[in-house]
Short mmCIF file of all heavy atoms in Angstrom, two decimals:
data_model
loop_
_atom_site.label_atom_id
_atom_site.label_comp_id
_atom_site.label_asym_id
_atom_site.label_seq_id
_atom_site.Cartn_x
_atom_site.Cartn_y
_atom_site.Cartn_z
N LYS A 1 0.81 -1.22 0.00
CA LYS A 1 0.00 0.00 0.00
C LYS A 1 0.84 1.27 0.00
O LYS A 1 0.48 2.25 -0.68
CB LYS A 1 -0.96 0.00 1.18
CG LYS A 1 -2.03 1.09 1.08
CD LYS A 1 -3.08 0.93 2.17
CE LYS A 1 -4.15 2.00 2.04
NZ LYS A 1 -5.21 1.86 3.09
N PRO A 2 1.97 1.34 0.73
CA PRO A 2 2.78 2.57 0.69
C PRO A 2 3.32 2.90 -0.72
O PRO A 2 3.74 4.03 -0.96
CB PRO A 2 3.93 2.27 1.65
CG PRO A 2 3.39 1.23 2.58
CD PRO A 2 2.49 0.39 1.73
N LEU A 3 3.29 1.92 -1.61
CA LEU A 3 3.81 2.13 -2.97
C LEU A 3 2.73 2.53 -3.95
O LEU A 3 3.00 2.64 -5.16
CB LEU A 3 4.51 0.86 -3.47
CG LEU A 3 5.62 0.28 -2.58
CD1 LEU A 3 6.23 -0.94 -3.24
CD2 LEU A 3 6.68 1.33 -2.29
N HIS A 4 1.52 2.77 -3.49
CA HIS A 4 0.41 3.08 -4.38
C HIS A 4 0.34 4.54 -4.81
O HIS A 4 -0.73 5.02 -5.19
CB HIS A 4 -0.92 2.67 -3.73
CG HIS A 4 -1.14 1.20 -3.70
ND1 HIS A 4 -2.22 0.60 -3.08
CD2 HIS A 4 -0.40 0.17 -4.21
CE1 HIS A 4 -2.14 -0.72 -3.21
NE2 HIS A 4 -1.05 -1.00 -3.89
N HIS A 5 1.43 5.24 -4.73
CA HIS A 5 1.47 6.60 -5.25
C HIS A 5 1.66 6.53 -6.77
O HIS A 5 2.47 5.73 -7.25
CB HIS A 5 2.62 7.38 -4.60
CG HIS A 5 2.62 8.85 -4.90
ND1 HIS A 5 3.02 9.36 -6.11
CD2 HIS A 5 2.23 9.91 -4.15
CE1 HIS A 5 2.92 10.68 -6.09
NE2 HIS A 5 2.43 11.04 -4.91
N PRO A 6 0.94 7.34 -7.55
CA PRO A 6 1.02 7.21 -9.01
C PRO A 6 2.42 7.41 -9.56
O PRO A 6 2.76 6.80 -10.59
CB PRO A 6 0.05 8.28 -9.51
CG PRO A 6 -0.19 9.19 -8.36
CD PRO A 6 -0.05 8.34 -7.14
N LEU A 7 3.24 8.25 -8.93
CA LEU A 7 4.60 8.44 -9.42
C LEU A 7 5.37 7.13 -9.39
O LEU A 7 6.03 6.75 -10.36
CB LEU A 7 5.32 9.50 -8.59
CG LEU A 7 6.78 9.76 -8.99
CD1 LEU A 7 6.85 10.38 -10.38
CD2 LEU A 7 7.48 10.65 -7.97
N LEU A 8 5.28 6.41 -8.27
CA LEU A 8 5.97 5.14 -8.14
C LEU A 8 5.41 4.11 -9.11
O LEU A 8 6.16 3.41 -9.80
CB LEU A 8 5.84 4.62 -6.70
CG LEU A 8 6.69 5.29 -5.64
CD1 LEU A 8 6.37 4.69 -4.28
CD2 LEU A 8 8.16 5.13 -5.95
N MET A 9 4.10 3.99 -9.15
CA MET A 9 3.48 2.98 -10.02
C MET A 9 3.79 3.26 -11.48
O MET A 9 3.99 2.33 -12.28
CB MET A 9 1.97 2.93 -9.77
CG MET A 9 1.61 2.48 -8.36
SD MET A 9 -0.17 2.16 -8.15
CE MET A 9 -0.85 3.81 -8.40
N PHE A 10 3.86 4.52 -11.84
CA PHE A 10 4.24 4.90 -13.20
C PHE A 10 5.66 4.46 -13.52
O PHE A 10 5.93 3.87 -14.57
CB PHE A 10 4.09 6.42 -13.38
CG PHE A 10 4.72 6.96 -14.63
CD1 PHE A 10 4.13 6.72 -15.87
CD2 PHE A 10 5.89 7.70 -14.57
CE1 PHE A 10 4.71 7.21 -17.03
CE2 PHE A 10 6.47 8.20 -15.73
CZ PHE A 10 5.88 7.95 -16.95
N TYR A 11 6.59 4.73 -12.61
CA TYR A 11 7.98 4.32 -12.84
C TYR A 11 8.08 2.80 -12.99
O TYR A 11 8.81 2.29 -13.85
CB TYR A 11 8.86 4.80 -11.68
CG TYR A 11 9.49 6.15 -11.92
CD1 TYR A 11 8.71 7.30 -12.00
CD2 TYR A 11 10.86 6.30 -12.07
CE1 TYR A 11 9.27 8.54 -12.21
CE2 TYR A 11 11.44 7.53 -12.29
CZ TYR A 11 10.64 8.66 -12.36
OH TYR A 11 11.22 9.88 -12.59
N PHE A 12 7.36 2.07 -12.14
CA PHE A 12 7.40 0.61 -12.24
C PHE A 12 6.84 0.14 -13.58
O PHE A 12 7.37 -0.78 -14.20
CB PHE A 12 6.59 -0.01 -11.11
CG PHE A 12 7.13 0.25 -9.72
CD1 PHE A 12 6.31 0.17 -8.61
CD2 PHE A 12 8.46 0.57 -9.52
CE1 PHE A 12 6.78 0.40 -7.34
CE2 PHE A 12 8.97 0.81 -8.25
CZ PHE A 12 8.12 0.73 -7.15
N ALA A 13 5.75 0.77 -14.02
CA ALA A 13 5.12 0.38 -15.29
C ALA A 13 6.03 0.68 -16.46
O ALA A 13 6.10 -0.10 -17.43
CB ALA A 13 3.77 1.08 -15.44
N VAL A 14 6.75 1.80 -16.41
CA VAL A 14 7.68 2.13 -17.48
C VAL A 14 8.85 1.16 -17.48
O VAL A 14 9.36 0.77 -18.54
CB VAL A 14 8.17 3.58 -17.36
CG1 VAL A 14 9.28 3.87 -18.37
CG2 VAL A 14 7.01 4.55 -17.59
N TYR A 15 9.27 0.74 -16.29
CA TYR A 15 10.31 -0.29 -16.22
C TYR A 15 9.88 -1.54 -16.98
O TYR A 15 10.67 -2.15 -17.71
CB TYR A 15 10.63 -0.64 -14.77
CG TYR A 15 11.55 -1.84 -14.63
CD1 TYR A 15 12.93 -1.70 -14.70
CD2 TYR A 15 11.03 -3.13 -14.45
CE1 TYR A 15 13.77 -2.79 -14.60
CE2 TYR A 15 11.86 -4.23 -14.35
CZ TYR A 15 13.23 -4.05 -14.42
OH TYR A 15 14.06 -5.14 -14.34
N LYS A 16 8.64 -1.93 -16.80
CA LYS A 16 8.12 -3.10 -17.51
C LYS A 16 8.22 -2.89 -19.03
O LYS A 16 8.61 -3.81 -19.76
CB LYS A 16 6.67 -3.38 -17.12
CG LYS A 16 6.03 -4.55 -17.87
CD LYS A 16 4.57 -4.73 -17.49
CE LYS A 16 3.95 -5.94 -18.18
NZ LYS A 16 4.03 -5.87 -19.66
N CYS A 17 7.88 -1.70 -19.49
CA CYS A 17 7.98 -1.40 -20.92
C CYS A 17 9.42 -1.54 -21.40
O CYS A 17 9.68 -2.16 -22.45
CB CYS A 17 7.49 0.02 -21.21
SG CYS A 17 5.74 0.31 -20.90
N ALA A 18 10.35 -0.97 -20.65
CA ALA A 18 11.76 -1.04 -21.02
C ALA A 18 12.27 -2.48 -20.96
O ALA A 18 13.04 -2.92 -21.83
CB ALA A 18 12.59 -0.14 -20.11
N ALA A 19 11.84 -3.23 -19.94
CA ALA A 19 12.28 -4.62 -19.80
C ALA A 19 11.76 -5.48 -20.95
O ALA A 19 12.50 -6.29 -21.51
CB ALA A 19 11.80 -5.19 -18.47
N ASP A 20 10.51 -5.29 -21.33
CA ASP A 20 9.93 -6.05 -22.44
C ASP A 20 10.65 -5.72 -23.75
O ASP A 20 10.92 -6.61 -24.57
CB ASP A 20 8.44 -5.76 -22.57
CG ASP A 20 7.62 -6.37 -21.44
OD1 ASP A 20 8.14 -7.26 -20.75
OD2 ASP A 20 6.46 -5.94 -21.27
N ASN A 21 10.95 -4.44 -23.95
CA ASN A 21 11.66 -4.03 -25.15
C ASN A 21 13.07 -4.61 -25.16
O ASN A 21 13.56 -5.08 -26.20
CB ASN A 21 11.71 -2.51 -25.22
CG ASN A 21 12.44 -2.00 -26.44
OD1 ASN A 21 13.64 -1.73 -26.39
ND2 ASN A 21 11.71 -1.88 -27.55
N TYR A 22 13.73 -4.61 -24.00
CA TYR A 22 15.07 -5.18 -23.89
C TYR A 22 15.06 -6.67 -24.22
O TYR A 22 15.91 -7.15 -24.98
CB TYR A 22 15.59 -4.97 -22.47
CG TYR A 22 16.77 -5.84 -22.11
CD1 TYR A 22 18.05 -5.55 -22.58
CD2 TYR A 22 16.61 -6.97 -21.30
CE1 TYR A 22 19.13 -6.36 -22.26
CE2 TYR A 22 17.68 -7.77 -20.97
CZ TYR A 22 18.94 -7.46 -21.45
OH TYR A 22 20.00 -8.27 -21.14
N LEU A 23 14.10 -7.40 -23.67
CA LEU A 23 14.03 -8.83 -23.93
C LEU A 23 13.80 -9.13 -25.41
O LEU A 23 14.37 -10.07 -25.97
CB LEU A 23 12.92 -9.46 -23.09
CG LEU A 23 13.18 -9.51 -21.58
CD1 LEU A 23 11.94 -10.01 -20.84
CD2 LEU A 23 14.39 -10.38 -21.26
N GLU A 24 12.98 -8.31 -26.04
CA GLU A 24 12.73 -8.48 -27.47
C GLU A 24 14.01 -8.30 -28.27
O GLU A 24 14.31 -9.09 -29.18
CB GLU A 24 11.66 -7.48 -27.91
CG GLU A 24 11.31 -7.56 -29.38
CD GLU A 24 10.27 -6.54 -29.80
OE1 GLU A 24 9.63 -5.93 -28.91
OE2 GLU A 24 10.11 -6.32 -31.02
N ASN A 25 14.77 -7.26 -27.94
CA ASN A 25 16.02 -7.00 -28.67
C ASN A 25 17.10 -8.01 -28.32
O ASN A 25 17.92 -8.36 -29.18
CB ASN A 25 16.50 -5.58 -28.37
CG ASN A 25 15.68 -4.52 -29.08
OD1 ASN A 25 15.83 -4.32 -30.28
ND2 ASN A 25 14.80 -3.87 -28.36
N LEU A 26 17.11 -8.48 -27.09
CA LEU A 26 18.07 -9.50 -26.70
C LEU A 26 17.86 -10.78 -27.52
O LEU A 26 18.82 -11.37 -28.02
CB LEU A 26 17.91 -9.80 -25.21
CG LEU A 26 18.84 -10.87 -24.62
CD1 LEU A 26 20.27 -10.37 -24.58
CD2 LEU A 26 18.37 -11.25 -23.20
N LYS A 27 16.60 -11.18 -27.66
CA LYS A 27 16.30 -12.41 -28.40
C LYS A 27 16.59 -12.27 -29.89
O LYS A 27 16.90 -13.26 -30.56
CB LYS A 27 14.85 -12.79 -28.16
CG LYS A 27 14.55 -13.21 -26.73
CD LYS A 27 13.07 -13.42 -26.49
CE LYS A 27 12.79 -13.77 -25.04
NZ LYS A 27 11.34 -13.91 -24.75
N LYS A 28 16.50 -11.05 -30.41
CA LYS A 28 16.72 -10.84 -31.84
C LYS A 28 18.20 -10.72 -32.20
O LYS A 28 18.54 -10.75 -33.38
CB LYS A 28 15.99 -9.57 -32.30
CG LYS A 28 14.49 -9.69 -32.34
CD LYS A 28 13.84 -8.53 -33.08
CE LYS A 28 14.21 -7.19 -32.52
NZ LYS A 28 13.46 -6.07 -33.18
N ASN A 29 19.06 -10.57 -31.21
CA ASN A 29 20.47 -10.36 -31.48
C ASN A 29 21.15 -11.70 -31.78
O ASN A 29 21.39 -12.51 -30.88
CB ASN A 29 21.15 -9.68 -30.30
CG ASN A 29 22.54 -9.20 -30.64
OD1 ASN A 29 23.45 -9.99 -30.85
ND2 ASN A 29 22.71 -7.87 -30.67
#
């Protein structure tokens, strides 16, 4: 619950975007 501030949740969600993009590029290399 202490992490339910939108700033934190936004950063976590963007991390997921970057991680998914990284995995896609890693597999294509």
Side-chain angles (χ1 to χ4, degrees):
K1 192 172 181 179
L3 305 182
H4 286 175
H5 189 283
L7 178 66
L8 285 177
M9 296 189 295
F10 167 73
Y11 268 67
F12 296 157
V14 172
Y15 171 85
K16 178 183 183 302
C17 295
D20 289 343
N21 180 266
Y22 164 77
L23 291 174
E24 180 181 346
N25 285 285
L26 179 70
K27 293 173 182 177
K28 289 192 304 186
N29 191 292

